Every structure is written in C-alpha cells, then in structure tokens.
Amino acid sequence: MDVRWEDFGWERLAGGVGRRRLPGWDATVGLVAGGSAALLYDTGSTLREGAEIRTQAESLLGGRRVTHIALSHPHFDHVLGTAAFPGAEVYGAVGVDSLLARDRAVLRDDAIRHGMPPDDAARATDALVVPRHVVSGEWTLDLGGRQVMLANVGPGHSRHDLVLLVPGDREVVFCGDLVEESGDPQAGPDAIPSRWPAALDRLLALGGEDAVYVPGHGAAVDAAFVRAQRDELARRFGVS
C-alpha cells in the first residue's frame, strides 16, 4: 500500500501514514490507515476537492473507505470538503460543532474573500457537516491494530484547535495551523494570540523531541522548528 502514495501526489510519512499538500492554499490533509478503519485529518476547501481526496484515499486504502474524520480547526480551507465522506464519524475540538452550525454564512464569505468561486463556496457551506464528536481533552481512537490520539491543545490559531498524534517508530503529529512552514503563522479574528505559545508547549510535550510535525501549510518540520515558531509568536504577541 505505502509504495503507491507518491503515485497519487501524497507524501508517505510512516507505514500507513501520509499527507497531501492541496493546491491553492497549500493546506495539508493527512491519512492514517488501520487494520479495519482509516482516519482523515481535514478534508479540503470544496466539495470537489473533498471528492478527489476521497477517491485517492480509497485507492490508497485498497478500496476501503475513510471511516473517521478529524477537523483541525473551523477554517474553510480545512473543513468544506467533509460532506464528500458520507457515513464518516467526524470529530472536532469542543465548541466547533456549535460554531459551524451557527456561522455558515461567515465561512462562506471568508472563502469567497480568499478567492473561492461563490457557487463553490455556497454549495460547500450548504452541505457543511457539523462534527458529531467533540474533544475537550484527549481522545484515543482504535483504527484496528493502530491507536491514534486526538488532542485539544488550543486555543491558539483559532478557538478550536485539534491535533492528531500517530504513534510509531517515529511519532507523526498533525498540527493544523498551529504550525505553518510555508509562510508566517496567520492570526485572524478568531485567533487567541495570548494562548498560542502555550498551545505549542502542549503540542511539543505530547509529540516530544523526535516526532515529525506536520504543519497545516508547508513542509514537515521537527521539534526545533516548532519551538522556534513558538518563541517568535511569543515575541510577536508579547506573551511568555
């Protein structure tokens, strides 16, 4: 299975673990395969993109479907493809369920403001899937012979930041936009700058020094990069 990841434009990070950097906003989606289930971390920015990801994921999984979805945070480029995965159990940080149910128009307008065609934005937000499962601390999922952990380490980049830890010979940590490599971390109106460095401290404590850290945008990095970004954010926002 793993030898085929690159054929679909995905980067293999470990056995049964990979990610794809999507065109447009360079957002990451991650895929973790277990023996009887598979988890997708984020779903892309449109229904069309979500459907493409689903087709690729099912090919990488040998025809099996994505059974679980974890949403890193409630920004359009990470969540609007979720409806392309019917039947998947969807997880998000506590509070993201009510936010997505309430603020569909805000999400649509943000997508359009960033250049998404209005029809695509409207279709995706009309079909928006609200997480059924909310994570307030840590939640371990069994994918069939492989356990992964969802951790609510925020707020920081948003009010609802959820990371994914995949144990292995070298742990893989999907960070969402708490970490960005291809540009400076973005602090929009829903960011909590005063608590962002602390969120990265928790992220580093969970992942450790030897983990591979996968940003929401950009190339995979190490703990030193995350720590340096944490310190820069602390200086930028005047917090310790």
Side-chain angles (χ1 to χ4, degrees):
M1 179 178 64
D2 291 336
V3 298
R4 300 173 54 208
W5 291 74
E6 289 73 15
D7 294 341
F8 290 88
W10 290 64
E11 176 187 359
R12 180 184 180 276
L13 300 169
V17 184
R19 67 87 173 254
R20 183 182 170 197
R21 292 171 66 172
L22 299 171
W25 293 279
D26 190 30
T28 280
V29 293
L31 181 64
V32 183
S36 59
L39 182 144
L40 186 72
Y41 184 75
D42 286 344
T43 61
S45 59
T46 65
L47 292 174
R48 186 182 304 109
E49 197 164 62
E52 179 186 359
I53 295 164
R54 184 192 67 216
T55 298
Q56 294 180 347
E58 288 175 353
S59 295
L60 292 168
L61 295 167
R64 293 189 292 125
R65 68 181 185 89
V66 169
T67 55
H68 298 71
I69 288 171
L71 300 177
S72 64
H73 63 290
H75 291 169
F76 79 92
D77 49 333
H78 298 265
V79 305
L80 287 185
T82 307
F85 299 85
E89 297 290 339
V90 183
Y91 296 74
V94 65
V96 76
D97 51 340
S98 57
L99 183 147
L100 290 178
R102 180 182 68 243
D103 291 347
R104 292 172 188 261
V106 174
L107 204 63
R108 179 199 64 216
D109 293 346
D110 191 37
I112 294 170
R113 185 166 55 252
H114 282 83
M116 186 184 296
D119 286 349
D120 287 348
R123 279 193 294 270
T125 51
D126 285 348
L128 185 65
V129 174
V130 174
R132 177 183 172 191
H133 309 284
V134 293
V135 183
S136 59
E138 298 172 359
W139 193 324
T140 298
L141 296 174
D142 187 347
L143 302 180
R146 161 173 259 156
Q147 290 190 331
V148 300
M149 187 173 75
L150 304 175
N152 183 343
V153 300
H157 172 72
S158 76
R159 296 178 183 272
H160 311 285
D161 293 308
L162 186 71
V163 303
L164 167 66
L165 291 88
V166 185
D169 293 337
R170 190 179 185 194
E171 188 163 54
V172 178
V173 184
F174 290 93
C175 308
D177 286 4
L178 285 168
V179 179
E180 297 192 41
E181 185 276 336
S182 55
D184 291 334
Q186 299 300 302
D190 61 339
I192 311 293
S194 63
R195 298 178 66 179
W196 199 334
L200 291 180
D201 286 338
R202 289 191 287 275
L203 179 70
L204 286 163
L206 289 169
E209 289 301 309
D210 297 327
V212 177
Y213 292 88
V214 185
H217 302 265
V221 299
D222 59 13
F225 181 97
V226 177
R227 188 170 293 105
Q229 192 158 97
R230 178 255 181 239
D231 293 344
E232 177 56 33
L233 286 167
R235 287 191 292 270
R236 176 176 163 187
F237 297 121
V239 297
S240 58

mmCIF file of all heavy atoms in Angstrom, residues 92-127:
data_model
loop_
_atom_site.group_PDB
_atom_site.id
_atom_site.type_symbol
_atom_site.label_atom_id
_atom_site.label_comp_id
_atom_site.label_asym_id
_atom_site.label_seq_id
_atom_site.Cartn_x
_atom_site.Cartn_y
_atom_site.Cartn_z
ATOM 1 N N GLY A 92 -14.169 17.067 16.220
ATOM 2 C CA GLY A 92 -13.621 18.412 16.268
ATOM 3 C C GLY A 92 -13.417 18.820 17.712
ATOM 4 O O GLY A 92 -13.920 18.173 18.637
ATOM 5 N N ALA A 93 -12.680 19.893 17.917
ATOM 6 C CA ALA A 93 -12.498 20.419 19.266
ATOM 7 C C ALA A 93 -13.840 20.899 19.812
ATOM 8 O O ALA A 93 -14.707 21.365 19.066
ATOM 9 C CB ALA A 93 -11.490 21.556 19.259
ATOM 10 N N VAL A 94 -14.000 20.792 21.111
ATOM 11 C CA VAL A 94 -15.261 21.190 21.730
ATOM 12 C C VAL A 94 -15.581 22.636 21.356
ATOM 13 O O VAL A 94 -14.717 23.510 21.351
ATOM 14 C CB VAL A 94 -15.192 21.003 23.261
ATOM 15 C CG1 VAL A 94 -14.162 21.935 23.905
ATOM 16 C CG2 VAL A 94 -16.562 21.198 23.884
ATOM 17 N N GLY A 95 -16.825 22.867 20.974
ATOM 18 C CA GLY A 95 -17.271 24.187 20.563
ATOM 19 C C GLY A 95 -17.314 24.381 19.062
ATOM 20 O O GLY A 95 -18.034 25.261 18.574
ATOM 21 N N VAL A 96 -16.540 23.575 18.324
ATOM 22 C CA VAL A 96 -16.530 23.747 16.875
ATOM 23 C C VAL A 96 -17.861 23.318 16.273
ATOM 24 O O VAL A 96 -18.272 23.826 15.226
ATOM 25 C CB VAL A 96 -15.344 22.968 16.245
ATOM 26 C CG1 VAL A 96 -15.621 21.482 16.197
ATOM 27 C CG2 VAL A 96 -15.023 23.501 14.859
ATOM 28 N N ASP A 97 -18.576 22.419 16.932
ATOM 29 C CA ASP A 97 -19.875 21.977 16.424
ATOM 30 C C ASP A 97 -20.875 23.129 16.398
ATOM 31 O O ASP A 97 -21.528 23.378 15.385
ATOM 32 C CB ASP A 97 -20.400 20.799 17.242
ATOM 33 C CG ASP A 97 -20.392 21.053 18.740
ATOM 34 O OD1 ASP A 97 -19.650 21.959 19.208
ATOM 35 O OD2 ASP A 97 -21.118 20.349 19.470
ATOM 36 N N SER A 98 -20.985 23.838 17.500
ATOM 37 C CA SER A 98 -21.938 24.948 17.551
ATOM 38 C C SER A 98 -21.499 26.092 16.657
ATOM 39 O O SER A 98 -22.332 26.762 16.030
ATOM 40 C CB SER A 98 -22.121 25.435 18.997
ATOM 41 O OG SER A 98 -20.886 25.819 19.565
ATOM 42 N N LEU A 99 -20.180 26.324 16.552
ATOM 43 C CA LEU A 99 -19.690 27.401 15.691
ATOM 44 C C LEU A 99 -20.029 27.138 14.230
ATOM 45 O O LEU A 99 -20.527 28.019 13.518
ATOM 46 C CB LEU A 99 -18.182 27.562 15.872
ATOM 47 C CG LEU A 99 -17.517 28.697 15.088
ATOM 48 C CD1 LEU A 99 -16.346 29.270 15.867
ATOM 49 C CD2 LEU A 99 -17.019 28.236 13.711
ATOM 50 N N LEU A 100 -19.775 25.922 13.749
ATOM 51 C CA LEU A 100 -20.053 25.609 12.352
ATOM 52 C C LEU A 100 -21.548 25.623 12.064
ATOM 53 O O LEU A 100 -21.979 26.047 10.980
ATOM 54 C CB LEU A 100 -19.450 24.260 11.981
ATOM 55 C CG LEU A 100 -17.920 24.209 11.907
ATOM 56 C CD1 LEU A 100 -17.447 22.792 11.575
ATOM 57 C CD2 LEU A 100 -17.381 25.201 10.877
ATOM 58 N N ALA A 101 -22.339 25.187 13.022
ATOM 59 C CA ALA A 101 -23.786 25.213 12.824
ATOM 60 C C ALA A 101 -24.313 26.644 12.755
ATOM 61 O O ALA A 101 -25.278 26.927 12.034
ATOM 62 C CB ALA A 101 -24.477 24.454 13.958
ATOM 63 N N ARG A 102 -23.655 27.541 13.466
ATOM 64 C CA ARG A 102 -24.131 28.921 13.583
ATOM 65 C C ARG A 102 -23.577 29.835 12.487
ATOM 66 O O ARG A 102 -24.264 30.750 12.019
ATOM 67 C CB ARG A 102 -23.722 29.454 14.958
ATOM 68 C CG ARG A 102 -24.157 30.887 15.243
ATOM 69 C CD ARG A 102 -23.656 31.319 16.616
ATOM 70 N NE ARG A 102 -22.198 31.446 16.655
ATOM 71 C CZ ARG A 102 -21.390 30.719 17.415
ATOM 72 N NH1 ARG A 102 -21.889 29.783 18.216
ATOM 73 N NH2 ARG A 102 -20.086 30.916 17.401
ATOM 74 N N ASP A 103 -22.332 29.592 12.068
ATOM 75 C CA ASP A 103 -21.616 30.590 11.265
ATOM 76 C C ASP A 103 -21.353 30.138 9.828
ATOM 77 O O ASP A 103 -20.315 30.436 9.250
ATOM 78 C CB ASP A 103 -20.284 30.934 11.946
ATOM 79 C CG ASP A 103 -20.475 31.707 13.232
ATOM 80 O OD1 ASP A 103 -21.596 32.179 13.479
ATOM 81 O OD2 ASP A 103 -19.502 31.853 13.997
ATOM 82 N N ARG A 104 -22.298 29.444 9.218
ATOM 83 C CA ARG A 104 -22.118 29.010 7.835
ATOM 84 C C ARG A 104 -21.882 30.205 6.904
ATOM 85 O O ARG A 104 -21.042 30.144 6.009
ATOM 86 C CB ARG A 104 -23.335 28.220 7.367
ATOM 87 C CG ARG A 104 -23.507 26.871 8.045
ATOM 88 C CD ARG A 104 -24.841 26.241 7.675
ATOM 89 N NE ARG A 104 -25.084 25.041 8.468
ATOM 90 C CZ ARG A 104 -24.867 23.811 8.030
ATOM 91 N NH1 ARG A 104 -24.409 23.624 6.810
ATOM 92 N NH2 ARG A 104 -25.108 22.771 8.803
ATOM 93 N N ALA A 105 -22.643 31.262 7.090
ATOM 94 C CA ALA A 105 -22.501 32.427 6.214
ATOM 95 C C ALA A 105 -21.128 33.076 6.376
ATOM 96 O O ALA A 105 -20.533 33.535 5.392
ATOM 97 C CB ALA A 105 -23.607 33.440 6.506
ATOM 98 N N VAL A 106 -20.615 33.092 7.590
ATOM 99 C CA VAL A 106 -19.277 33.650 7.827
ATOM 100 C C VAL A 106 -18.233 32.820 7.098
ATOM 101 O O VAL A 106 -17.313 33.362 6.459
ATOM 102 C CB VAL A 106 -18.987 33.692 9.342
ATOM 103 C CG1 VAL A 106 -17.548 34.122 9.593
ATOM 104 C CG2 VAL A 106 -19.956 34.627 10.049
ATOM 105 N N LEU A 107 -18.360 31.501 7.164
ATOM 106 C CA LEU A 107 -17.428 30.604 6.485
ATOM 107 C C LEU A 107 -17.499 30.802 4.972
ATOM 108 O O LEU A 107 -16.475 30.857 4.286
ATOM 109 C CB LEU A 107 -17.766 29.167 6.862
ATOM 110 C CG LEU A 107 -16.671 28.119 6.772
ATOM 111 C CD1 LEU A 107 -15.540 28.416 7.736
ATOM 112 C CD2 LEU A 107 -17.246 26.737 7.055
ATOM 113 N N ARG A 108 -18.721 30.903 4.442
ATOM 114 C CA ARG A 108 -18.901 31.117 3.003
ATOM 115 C C ARG A 108 -18.261 32.422 2.562
ATOM 116 O O ARG A 108 -17.511 32.470 1.566
ATOM 117 C CB ARG A 108 -20.398 31.143 2.679
ATOM 118 C CG ARG A 108 -20.728 31.375 1.210
ATOM 119 C CD ARG A 108 -22.162 31.842 1.064
ATOM 120 N NE ARG A 108 -22.358 33.133 1.714
ATOM 121 C CZ ARG A 108 -23.472 33.494 2.357
ATOM 122 N NH1 ARG A 108 -24.487 32.654 2.455
ATOM 123 N NH2 ARG A 108 -23.555 34.686 2.918
ATOM 124 N N ASP A 109 -18.513 33.487 3.300
ATOM 125 C CA ASP A 109 -17.978 34.788 2.919
ATOM 126 C C ASP A 109 -16.458 34.821 3.012
ATOM 127 O O ASP A 109 -15.789 35.467 2.192
ATOM 128 C CB ASP A 109 -18.585 35.878 3.796
ATOM 129 C CG ASP A 109 -20.083 36.062 3.543
ATOM 130 O OD1 ASP A 109 -20.583 35.537 2.520
ATOM 131 O OD2 ASP A 109 -20.742 36.712 4.379
ATOM 132 N N ASP A 110 -15.902 34.124 3.994
ATOM 133 C CA ASP A 110 -14.447 34.065 4.129
ATOM 134 C C ASP A 110 -13.832 33.333 2.938
ATOM 135 O O ASP A 110 -12.802 33.759 2.394
ATOM 136 C CB ASP A 110 -14.078 33.364 5.433
ATOM 137 C CG ASP A 110 -12.610 33.500 5.775
ATOM 138 O OD1 ASP A 110 -12.024 34.575 5.518
ATOM 139 O OD2 ASP A 110 -12.027 32.530 6.296
ATOM 140 N N ALA A 111 -14.460 32.243 2.521
ATOM 141 C CA ALA A 111 -13.962 31.502 1.362
ATOM 142 C C ALA A 111 -13.990 32.367 0.116
ATOM 143 O O ALA A 111 -13.025 32.396 -0.673
ATOM 144 C CB ALA A 111 -14.785 30.235 1.166
ATOM 145 N N ILE A 112 -15.078 33.096 -0.103
ATOM 146 C CA ILE A 112 -15.195 33.971 -1.276
ATOM 147 C C ILE A 112 -14.158 35.087 -1.206
ATOM 148 O O ILE A 112 -13.520 35.424 -2.211
ATOM 149 C CB ILE A 112 -16.621 34.534 -1.365
ATOM 150 C CG1 ILE A 112 -17.611 33.402 -1.642
ATOM 151 C CG2 ILE A 112 -16.706 35.615 -2.441
ATOM 152 C CD1 ILE A 112 -19.071 33.819 -1.514
ATOM 153 N N ARG A 113 -13.957 35.644 -0.032
ATOM 154 C CA ARG A 113 -12.978 36.722 0.133
ATOM 155 C C ARG A 113 -11.567 36.256 -0.209
ATOM 156 O O ARG A 113 -10.733 37.026 -0.692
ATOM 157 C CB ARG A 113 -13.041 37.243 1.572
ATOM 158 C CG ARG A 113 -12.154 38.450 1.830
ATOM 159 C CD ARG A 113 -12.506 39.132 3.135
ATOM 160 N NE ARG A 113 -12.480 38.219 4.273
ATOM 161 C CZ ARG A 113 -13.563 37.782 4.914
ATOM 162 N NH1 ARG A 113 -14.772 38.161 4.517
ATOM 163 N NH2 ARG A 113 -13.455 36.967 5.946
ATOM 164 N N HIS A 114 -11.298 34.971 0.003
ATOM 165 C CA HIS A 114 -9.981 34.416 -0.313
ATOM 166 C C HIS A 114 -9.888 33.884 -1.741
ATOM 167 O O HIS A 114 -8.880 33.279 -2.108
ATOM 168 C CB HIS A 114 -9.625 33.303 0.676
ATOM 169 C CG HIS A 114 -9.152 33.810 2.000
ATOM 170 N ND1 HIS A 114 -10.008 34.197 3.007
ATOM 171 C CD2 HIS A 114 -7.895 34.022 2.480
ATOM 172 C CE1 HIS A 114 -9.312 34.601 4.052
ATOM 173 N NE2 HIS A 114 -8.030 34.514 3.758
ATOM 174 N N GLY A 115 -10.920 34.088 -2.526
ATOM 175 C CA GLY A 115 -10.831 33.769 -3.940
ATOM 176 C C GLY A 115 -11.605 32.558 -4.415
ATOM 177 O O GLY A 115 -11.520 32.195 -5.586
ATOM 178 N N MET A 116 -12.391 31.913 -3.548
ATOM 179 C CA MET A 116 -13.174 30.773 -3.994
ATOM 180 C C MET A 116 -14.373 31.258 -4.805
ATOM 181 O O MET A 116 -15.027 32.234 -4.416
ATOM 182 C CB MET A 116 -13.661 29.952 -2.792
ATOM 183 C CG MET A 116 -14.372 28.662 -3.201
ATOM 184 S SD MET A 116 -15.049 27.736 -1.804
ATOM 185 C CE MET A 116 -13.538 27.322 -0.916
ATOM 186 N N PRO A 117 -14.678 30.599 -5.931
ATOM 187 C CA PRO A 117 -15.882 30.969 -6.686
ATOM 188 C C PRO A 117 -17.118 30.918 -5.793
ATOM 189 O O PRO A 117 -17.304 29.960 -5.031
ATOM 190 C CB PRO A 117 -15.938 29.903 -7.789
ATOM 191 C CG PRO A 117 -14.511 29.477 -7.968
ATOM 192 C CD PRO A 117 -13.915 29.528 -6.595
ATOM 193 N N PRO A 118 -17.975 31.932 -5.876
ATOM 194 C CA PRO A 118 -19.146 31.974 -4.980
ATOM 195 C C PRO A 118 -20.024 30.738 -5.040
ATOM 196 O O PRO A 118 -20.535 30.291 -4.002
ATOM 197 C CB PRO A 118 -19.890 33.227 -5.458
ATOM 198 C CG PRO A 118 -18.814 34.103 -6.024
ATOM 199 C CD PRO A 118 -17.839 33.174 -6.663
ATOM 200 N N ASP A 119 -20.216 30.147 -6.225
ATOM 201 C CA ASP A 119 -21.054 28.950 -6.315
ATOM 202 C C ASP A 119 -20.442 27.787 -5.549
ATOM 203 O O ASP A 119 -21.147 27.029 -4.866
ATOM 204 C CB ASP A 119 -21.268 28.553 -7.773
ATOM 205 C CG ASP A 119 -22.234 29.481 -8.494
ATOM 206 O OD1 ASP A 119 -22.892 30.297 -7.810
ATOM 207 O OD2 ASP A 119 -22.311 29.396 -9.730
ATOM 208 N N ASP A 120 -19.112 27.609 -5.658
ATOM 209 C CA ASP A 120 -18.436 26.541 -4.917
ATOM 210 C C ASP A 120 -18.565 26.760 -3.421
ATOM 211 O O ASP A 120 -18.804 25.812 -2.656
ATOM 212 C CB ASP A 120 -16.959 26.478 -5.304
ATOM 213 C CG ASP A 120 -16.733 25.899 -6.688
ATOM 214 O OD1 ASP A 120 -17.689 25.341 -7.264
ATOM 215 O OD2 ASP A 120 -15.602 26.014 -7.192
ATOM 216 N N ALA A 121 -18.383 28.017 -2.997
ATOM 217 C CA ALA A 121 -18.476 28.325 -1.569
ATOM 218 C C ALA A 121 -19.883 28.076 -1.046
ATOM 219 O O ALA A 121 -20.068 27.521 0.050
ATOM 220 C CB ALA A 121 -18.069 29.778 -1.324
ATOM 221 N N ALA A 122 -20.890 28.453 -1.831
ATOM 222 C CA ALA A 122 -22.276 28.265 -1.388
ATOM 223 C C ALA A 122 -22.626 26.788 -1.299
ATOM 224 O O ALA A 122 -23.253 26.346 -0.324
ATOM 225 C CB ALA A 122 -23.225 28.987 -2.340
ATOM 226 N N ARG A 123 -22.233 26.000 -2.307
ATOM 227 C CA ARG A 123 -22.554 24.565 -2.279
ATOM 228 C C ARG A 123 -21.896 23.884 -1.083
ATOM 229 O O ARG A 123 -22.512 23.048 -0.415
ATOM 230 C CB ARG A 123 -22.098 23.905 -3.582
ATOM 231 C CG ARG A 123 -23.057 24.102 -4.735
ATOM 232 C CD ARG A 123 -22.725 23.167 -5.892
ATOM 233 N NE ARG A 123 -21.444 23.499 -6.492
ATOM 234 C CZ ARG A 123 -21.299 24.355 -7.509
ATOM 235 N NH1 ARG A 123 -22.359 24.957 -8.022
ATOM 236 N NH2 ARG A 123 -20.104 24.595 -8.014
ATOM 237 N N ALA A 124 -20.635 24.228 -0.825
ATOM 238 C CA ALA A 124 -19.918 23.571 0.269
ATOM 239 C C ALA A 124 -20.491 23.952 1.627
ATOM 240 O O ALA A 124 -20.631 23.091 2.513
ATOM 241 C CB ALA A 124 -18.431 23.915 0.198
ATOM 242 N N THR A 125 -20.817 25.207 1.823
ATOM 243 C CA THR A 125 -21.351 25.613 3.132
ATOM 244 C C THR A 125 -22.787 25.132 3.324
ATOM 245 O O THR A 125 -23.197 24.831 4.449
ATOM 246 C CB THR A 125 -21.260 27.132 3.319
ATOM 247 O OG1 THR A 125 -21.833 27.802 2.192
ATOM 248 C CG2 THR A 125 -19.812 27.571 3.471
ATOM 249 N N ASP A 126 -23.555 25.025 2.228
ATOM 250 C CA ASP A 126 -24.906 24.477 2.347
ATOM 251 C C ASP A 126 -24.862 23.013 2.808
ATOM 252 O O ASP A 126 -25.760 22.547 3.515
ATOM 253 C CB ASP A 126 -25.639 24.564 1.013
ATOM 254 C CG ASP A 126 -26.107 25.977 0.685
ATOM 255 O OD1 ASP A 126 -26.065 26.827 1.587
ATOM 256 O OD2 ASP A 126 -26.482 26.228 -0.478
ATOM 257 N N ALA A 127 -23.795 22.290 2.392
ATOM 258 C CA ALA A 127 -23.670 20.864 2.733
ATOM 259 C C ALA A 127 -22.770 20.634 3.945
ATOM 260 O O ALA A 127 -22.447 19.492 4.262
ATOM 261 C CB ALA A 127 -23.109 20.102 1.534
#
